[in-house]
């Protein structure tokens, strides 16, 4: 698209510009400003702040310490939970609601066995429950013979909208410039800084850029830098569904007495108790069809709901309606190995950075991602603290070379 550029007579040159103000970009802005009060920071969003078109909207995300992968469990214990607590205290508001969590699978499920082993290794409080244990502890849940459940009392729900809003408001209080409805169409190095041009013709200037554009990241990088900085990311459209419980059981399904849950068998799905809406539990498949974020249809995955989620709820839970009463569309940006991409973009002299590929399980780690990107952009990838170096080694672009054009 052609555009006419215009610049203010005395342009501000920002130290860091962040493109994308979902939870990752907003968390990055917050930690940059908190840890570097002298920096001039710009946070740009192509839609309204707190929009519902991407991956950071809604009122609930599961958070948990239990993972089959050691690195995520370590990050949740040592960084994510403490950082969320710090953010809540600074904002004087509650983002996290503890509900406990229940993970289901067959006894011989490899992922579940890894999860149990990792939890025990790192001291995560868990209980391994038999079908009769589950029925005694949670009378509304029935798992088949030959299955187990892992109960984790530290699991719960993060209020997604509130979290993004908190990061943005705290960033603004610390001097970050937030601009919404500014779609970036060009990023160009100009002698001593980047010129960031928007669809409306505005020009912003920044010495370093961080891309946290979620589902739009790959398209943005392709347009700006061509094949050399392409990343093998797949955008999936997922359907979040809310299911009505028997009115007599509303209190029993409430978040004060019912856990978040994940099914590690086919269909791989997850859910939350009645927390966002009275008498409605959330349950959704952890996948979706591949889409273009600019042209997707927002239509619910009826087949997935009727053939995947509904039978699970009918077989495992007590008196839940077989048809959802509410659905909403969301997107995942999935990397080939479903691990994050948090790194310096190669070939740009340490001036461009990226946070993407969160693969449907990143929200709970937003403070970790934000603090890690903030440290990368100010210190450089090679000068991170020991703990950040250990975290970053799992999220490099280098590991994706076999499936990309980098």
């Amino acid at each position: 698209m052609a555009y006419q550029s215009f610049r203010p007579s005395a342009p501000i040159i920002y130290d860091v510009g962040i493109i994308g103000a979902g939870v990752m970009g907003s968390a990055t802005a917050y930690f940059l400003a908190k840890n570097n009060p002298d920096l001039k920071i710009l946070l740009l969003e192509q839609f309204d702040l707190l929009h519902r078109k991407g991956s950071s909207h809604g009122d609930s995300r599961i958070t948990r310490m239990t993972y089959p992968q050691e690195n995520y469990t370590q990050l949740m214990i040592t960084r994510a939970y403490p950082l969320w607590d710090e953010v809540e205290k600074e904002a004087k508001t509650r983002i996290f609601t503890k509900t406990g969590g229940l993970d289901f699978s067959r006894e011989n499920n490899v992922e579940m066995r890894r999860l149990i082993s990792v939890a025990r290794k790192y001291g995560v409080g868990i209980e391994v429950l038999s079908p009769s244990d589950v029925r005694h502890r949670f009378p509304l849940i029935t798992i088949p013979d030959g299955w187990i459940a892992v109960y984790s009392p530290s699991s719960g729900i993060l209020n997604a909208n509130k979290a993004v809003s908190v990061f943005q408001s705290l960033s603004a209080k610390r001097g970050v410039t937030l601009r919404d409805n500014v779609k970036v169409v060009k990023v160009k190095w100009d002698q001593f800084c980047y010129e960031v041009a928007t669809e409306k013709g505005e020009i912003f200037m920044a010495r370093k850029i961080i891309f946290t554009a979620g589902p739009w990241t790959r398209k943005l990088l392709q347009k700006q830098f061509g094949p050399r900085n392409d990343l093998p990311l797949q955008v999936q459209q997922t359907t979040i569904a809310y299911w009505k419980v028997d009115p007599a059981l509303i209190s029993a399904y409430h978040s004060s007495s019912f856990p978040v849950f994940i099914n590690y068998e086919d269909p791989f799905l997850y859910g939350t108790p009645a927390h966002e809406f009275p008498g409605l539990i959330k349950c959704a498949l952890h996948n979706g069809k591949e889409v273009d974020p600019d042209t997707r249809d927002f239509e619910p995955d009826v087949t997935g709901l009727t053939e995947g989620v509904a039978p699970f709820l009918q077989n495992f839970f007590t008196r839940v309606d077989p048809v959802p009463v509410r659905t909403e569309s969301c997107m995942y940006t999935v990397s080939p190995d479903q691990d994050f991409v948090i790194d310096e973009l190669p070939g740009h002299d340490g001036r461009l950075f990226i946070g993407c590929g969160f693969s449907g399980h990143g929200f709970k780690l937003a403070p970790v991602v934000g603090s890690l990107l903030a440290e990368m952009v100010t210190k450089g990838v090679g000068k991170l603290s020991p703990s950040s170096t250990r975290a970053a080694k799992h999220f490099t672009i280098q590991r994706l070379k076999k499936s990309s054009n980098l």
Side-chain angles (χ1 to χ4, degrees), residues 315-346:
N315 291 329
F316 283 69
F317 289 2
T318 302
R319 285 150 55 186
V320 176
D321 284 0
V323 179
V325 298
R326 178 185 175 93
T327 62
E328 185 164 18
S329 179
C330 190
M331 286 189 286
Y332 291 168
T333 308
V334 184
S335 71
D337 56 10
Q338 298 191 31
D339 284 328
F340 308 162
V341 183
I342 308 169
D343 204 352
E344 175 188 323
L345 204 61

Side-chain angles (χ1 to χ4, degrees), residues 166-186:
V166 162
F167 281 132
Q168 291 174 357
S169 62
L170 293 179
S171 296
K173 288 180 180 178
R174 293 180 181 275
V176 175
T177 299
L178 282 72
R179 290 288 306 276
D180 62 356
N181 291 296
V182 285
K183 183 177 181 178
V184 172
V185 295
K186 193 171 185 62

Side-chain angles (χ1 to χ4, degrees), residues 43-50 178-183 200 202:
L43 178 60
L44 299 177
E45 170 55 51
Q46 64 173 324
F47 303 116
D48 287 329
L49 296 177
L50 303 179
L178 282 72
R179 290 288 306 276
D180 62 356
N181 291 296
V182 285
K183 183 177 181 178
K200 297 178 181 179
E202 289 182 276

Side-chain angles (χ1 to χ4, degrees), residues 81-336:
Y81 270 74
L83 287 173
W84 279 117
D85 186 55
E86 289 179 18
V87 170
E88 285 184 319
K89 288 177 180 176
E90 182 175 346
K92 295 181 174 61
T93 190
R94 189 178 75 171
I95 298 170
F96 171 59
T97 299
K98 184 185 288 188
T99 63
L102 207 60
D103 298 334
F104 316 112
S105 79
R106 291 179 173 85
E107 290 180 359
N108 62 352
N109 184 288
V110 175
E111 291 288 282
M112 185 67 81
R113 287 298 172 188
R114 285 199 195 112
L115 182 152
I116 294 169
S117 176
V118 170
R120 287 173 173 165
K121 178 177 179 178
Y122 290 96
V124 178
I126 61 168
E127 296 177 62
V128 181
L129 306 179
S130 67
S132 60
D133 294 332
V134 171
R135 193 66 174 172
H136 176 75
R137 181 80 65 86
F138 303 102
L140 299 179
I141 301 175
T142 301
I143 65 172
D145 291 337
W147 283 52
I148 58 172
V150 175
Y151 178 67
S152 170
S154 59
S155 299
I157 296 170
L158 295 170
N159 186 315
N161 284 333
K162 184 185 282 190
V164 179
S165 177
V166 162
F167 281 132
Q168 291 174 357
S169 62
L170 293 179
S171 296
K173 288 180 180 178
R174 293 180 181 275
V176 175
T177 299
L178 282 72
R179 290 288 306 276
D180 62 356
N181 291 296
V182 285
K183 183 177 181 178
V184 172
V185 295
K186 193 171 185 62
V187 178
K188 179 183 178 182
W189 178 256
D190 184 19
Q191 295 184 341
F192 58 89
C193 69
Y194 283 98
E195 289 189 351
V196 180
T198 74
E199 195 172 55
K200 297 178 181 179
E202 289 182 276
I203 300 290
F204 298 96
M205 305 176 78
R207 294 184 176 90
K208 294 183 180 181
I209 301 291
I210 304 174
F211 295 94
T212 52
W216 289 270
T217 299
R218 185 176 189 180
K219 294 183 72 175
L220 187 57
L221 293 180
Q222 285 176 329
K223 182 176 181 180
Q224 303 308 316
F225 311 115
R228 70 184 176 121
N229 283 146
D230 189 21
L231 295 176
L233 303 173
Q234 182 187 83
V235 179
Q236 296 179 3
Q237 177 173 280
T238 66
T239 300
I240 311 304
Y242 296 85
W243 309 76
K244 186 177 181 180
V245 306
D246 187 304
L249 300 176
I250 287 178
S251 61
Y253 273 108
H254 189 262
S255 55
S256 60
S257 53
F258 198 82
V260 299
F261 56 90
I262 299 174
N263 178 42
Y264 277 83
E265 299 291 345
D266 186 21
F268 186 35
L269 52 73
Y270 67 94
T272 63
H275 184 73
E276 300 176 60
F277 305 100
L280 301 183
I281 64 171
K282 181 169 85 171
C283 190
L285 295 176
H286 190 62
N287 58 42
K289 66 180 181 180
E290 186 173 4
V291 296
D292 182 319
D294 291 312
T295 59
R296 67 191 182 106
D297 57 20
F298 289 86
E299 293 293 329
D301 175 13
V302 176
T303 301
L305 295 176
T306 57
E307 297 182 5
V309 182
F312 172 85
L313 292 175
Q314 295 303 296
N315 291 329
F316 283 69
F317 289 2
T318 302
R319 285 150 55 186
V320 176
D321 284 0
V323 179
V325 298
R326 178 185 175 93
T327 62
E328 185 164 18
S329 179
C330 190
M331 286 189 286
Y332 291 168
T333 308
V334 184
S335 71

Side-chain angles (χ1 to χ4, degrees), residues 330-378:
C330 190
M331 286 189 286
Y332 291 168
T333 308
V334 184
S335 71
D337 56 10
Q338 298 191 31
D339 284 328
F340 308 162
V341 183
I342 308 169
D343 204 352
E344 175 188 323
L345 204 61
H348 300 278
D349 299 320
R351 296 188 294 256
L352 296 181
F353 298 83
I354 188 168
C356 63
F358 297 106
S359 304
H361 66 106
F363 199 102
K364 69 182 78 64
L365 285 146
V368 179
V369 175
S371 59
L372 186 56
L373 280 169
E375 190 176 348
M376 282 183 176
V377 79
T378 53

Side-chain angles (χ1 to χ4, degrees), residues 22-44:
V23 70
M24 300 307 181
S26 299
T28 301
Y30 165 72
F31 283 102
L32 264 174
K34 179 180 180 180
N35 298 330
N36 307 275
D38 295 330
L39 289 185
K40 293 185 177 68
I41 302 163
L42 173 68
L43 178 60
L44 299 177

